[in-house]
Amino acid sequence: MRRAVAVRLSALLAAGALTAATGVALSTTTASAASGGVTGYATQNGGTTGGAGGQTVRATTGTAIHQALCSRASSSTPITIQVEGTINHGNTAKVSGSSCNTAAGVIELKQISNVTIVGVGNGAVFDQLGIHIRESRNIIIQNVTVRNVKKSGSPTSNGGDAIGMESDVRNVWVDHVTLEASGGESEGYDGLFDMKDNTQYVTLSYSVLRNSGCGGLIGSSESDTSNGYVTFHHNLYENIDSRAPLLRGGIAHMYNNHYKRLNESGINSRAGARAKVDNNYFEDSKDVLGTFYTDAAGYWQVSGNVFDNVTWSSRSGDHNPAGPNPTSNTSVSIPYGFTLDGANCVPNVVAQTAGAGKGLKVSDGSCTPQSPDPTDPGPTDPGEPTDPGPTDPPAGTNLSLGAGADGSSKASGTSYGNVVDGNTGTYWSPSGSTGSVSVKWGSATTVSKVNIRLASGSGTIGAYRLLNHDTGAVLASGSGAGTVSFSPASLKKITLEITNASGTPRVAEFETYAS
């Protein structure tokens, strides 16, 4: 984008009464039942599985997300982080560890791999807080909203990008997310979905991008052409000034997207880039495809698109729209299978499937939204929380009874010993919202399960770690209370470290079990 352009929020409101066009579904490639799994270029280069096969933890703060990353055995240990609530600057701090590289005021996915972040329960909103992926691979982000991330003004985060990727990133699937701003560069915002500096094999699917000056870019300059192999499908771009997306070099595949009110320009293919543009619906927009703001030409292959009330400017200098009758000037071979909905029904099917909170619904190739296959091995079903809450004791002997206890701090009137006395009417509280309490024995004891019981009136544990105090190793991490299992460990002391809480936790019992 050559200049900052304020977003036409008033135009969005004025057009709110317009209804989406619907039509007959025309499948132009081999039909197959939708499963809700990873699609597009993210299926290539070994595929994208995120945290599949690893531990699942719950997080209600940005700090807890970072803590979950830092509590892994290594930077590549698979993990699924289920997120619920509002993540903002006030609850997102830097956490240190050998398996992470985090920062305050941004969700930092840096120099890591094999991670899924998925919104669950009542939903996850990253408010004025961006997600930054750097030097990482095999990442899934699903069912979250990221809004109003700024690069100027206050507060700032992630250079103003809702989701930004850079520096040797590979295999990212972003699915069923809502990315939105409240203006353009002059209001302090930047891109909604940016990739640069050798980012490849990315899919953005069933998502909403709206109310921004810049939809997103692939390549930060005319010399940054190492990015590509990106798929965009079944997304809604609404009230975007430009960059839907801007593609410098590389290959991108755009199919079954609904582009509505692209105010200045849309898909901007330049610097040798090649875009395959299939069965999209462009509506109430201007110059939706071409090479803009440069004399370094890009290319496109077009098929099956609908142009509904689209205006085209004259070609002049570095402004070269593909219309008014777009025709292909290259060919693009796609290595993966895909199923096309007919362009006429794209507005309807995208309205029912795209964005966070839509139940992860997908299209079956005949313009009929459906829930994902329950056997899909992808991210954990967001309707199934893993935090069990307080439970009856596990089977076996509570090893904490008769053991010793100590800790890092305690509130007035509480005692470390109260967590090992078998009495849920007494409790230990930290002197504040964070702190640690330990159970200890005179000789090595094997532990593989703990049960944390909270007393009546307790605050909520937002994030915790269970540590082998002898070695410092992290046995498990998560949030809330209840039972958690881990690989058997022989130790003399086990520590519950509370790193985030809402209110003051009251730990009535810290029960330990051999199995």
Side-chain angles (χ1 to χ4, degrees), residues 343-477:
N344 281 327
C345 70
V346 163
N348 182 52
V349 74
V350 167
Q352 296 182 64
T353 58
K358 293 293 182 68
L360 302 182
K361 288 184 177 180
V362 296
S363 172
D364 65 356
S366 62
C367 296
T368 305
Q370 60 177 316
S371 298
D373 188 339
T375 63
D376 174 49
T380 304
D381 182 354
E384 295 295 331
T386 59
D387 177 11
T391 64
D392 290 332
T397 301
N398 176 12
L399 303 174
S400 298
L401 297 177
D406 59 23
S408 65
S409 69
K410 59 183 176 180
S412 176
T414 72
S415 170
Y416 302 124
N418 287 340
V419 304
V420 296
D421 63 1
N423 181 2
T424 57
T426 63
Y427 58 88
W428 161 85
S429 285
S431 56
S433 60
T434 62
S436 63
V437 63
S438 304
V439 178
K440 58 185 180 180
W441 299 268
S443 59
T445 300
T446 297
V447 179
S448 67
K449 185 178 294 183
V450 305
N451 187 33
I452 304 301
R453 290 174 168 269
L454 298 181
S456 176
S458 174
T460 302
I461 298 175
Y464 70 81
R465 298 196 303 171
L466 284 172
L467 305 175
N468 179 335
H469 197 91
D470 303 352
T471 65
V474 178
L475 303 172
S477 62

Side-chain angles (χ1 to χ4, degrees), residues 54-58 64-74 77-81 95 99 386-388 437 447-452 461-469 471-489 491 493-499 510-512:
Q55 182 185 18
T56 298
V57 301
R58 182 69 71 97
I65 295 172
H66 286 161
Q67 188 67 66
L69 297 172
C70 296
S71 298
R72 297 183 296 164
S74 74
T77 301
I79 189 170
T80 294
I81 305 172
V95 178
S99 61
T386 59
D387 177 11
V437 63
V447 179
S448 67
K449 185 178 294 183
V450 305
N451 187 33
I452 304 301
I461 298 175
Y464 70 81
R465 298 196 303 171
L466 284 172
L467 305 175
N468 179 335
H469 197 91
T471 65
V474 178
L475 303 172
S477 62
S479 62
T483 303
V484 60
S485 300
F486 44 86
S487 298
L491 43 76
K493 186 174 180 179
I494 184 171
T495 298
L496 169 66
E497 181 184 54
I498 300 172
T499 58
F510 183 179
E511 300 173 351
T512 54

Side-chain angles (χ1 to χ4, degrees), residues 165-167 169-170 195-200 202 226-228:
M165 292 162 267
E166 62 178 319
S167 299
V169 172
R170 292 290 185 277
M195 290 157 273
K196 56 188 178 182
D197 192 16
N198 198 24
T199 293
Q200 298 180 357
V202 176
S226 59
N227 310 278

Side-chain angles (χ1 to χ4, degrees), residues 166-250:
E166 62 178 319
S167 299
D168 304 320
V169 172
R170 292 290 185 277
N171 290 88
V172 177
W173 180 34
V174 179
D175 176 67
H176 284 90
V177 304
T178 298
L179 309 177
E180 55 191 6
S182 296
E185 288 183 336
S186 61
E187 287 79 30
Y189 304 97
D190 197 17
L192 295 177
F193 195 70
D194 280 9
M195 290 157 273
K196 56 188 178 182
D197 192 16
N198 198 24
T199 293
Q200 298 180 357
Y201 301 104
V202 176
T203 296
L204 176 67
S205 55
Y206 297 101
S207 295
V208 173
L209 299 87
R210 62 188 172 205
N211 300 343
S212 178
C214 305
L217 57 78
I218 306 171
S220 60
S221 68
E222 305 296 73
S223 61
D224 183 16
T225 57
S226 59
N227 310 278
Y229 308 117
V230 182
T231 301
F232 302 83
H233 74 89
H234 292 92
N235 303 300
L236 170 65
Y237 284 78
E238 183 175 23
N239 196 33
I240 302 291
D241 283 352
S242 66
R243 300 183 183 180
L246 187 161
L247 175 64
R248 294 177 166 115

Side-chain angles (χ1 to χ4, degrees), residues 285-353:
S285 297
K286 176 183 178 183
D287 290 343
V288 297
L289 174 66
T291 296
F292 307 107
Y293 321 125
T294 182
D295 57 6
Y299 308 96
W300 43 84
Q301 179 181 352
V302 294
S303 175
N305 301 288
V306 169
F307 302 94
D308 179 3
N309 192 31
V310 171
T311 59
W312 301 91
S313 2
S314 300
R315 297 183 181 181
S316 175
D318 61 2
H319 192 83
N320 290 283
N325 296 299
T327 57
S328 301
N329 56 18
T330 191
S331 62
V332 181
S333 177
I334 299 299
Y336 52 82
F338 60 99
T339 303
L340 290 174
D341 289 308
N344 281 327
C345 70
V346 163
N348 182 52
V349 74
V350 167
Q352 296 182 64
T353 58

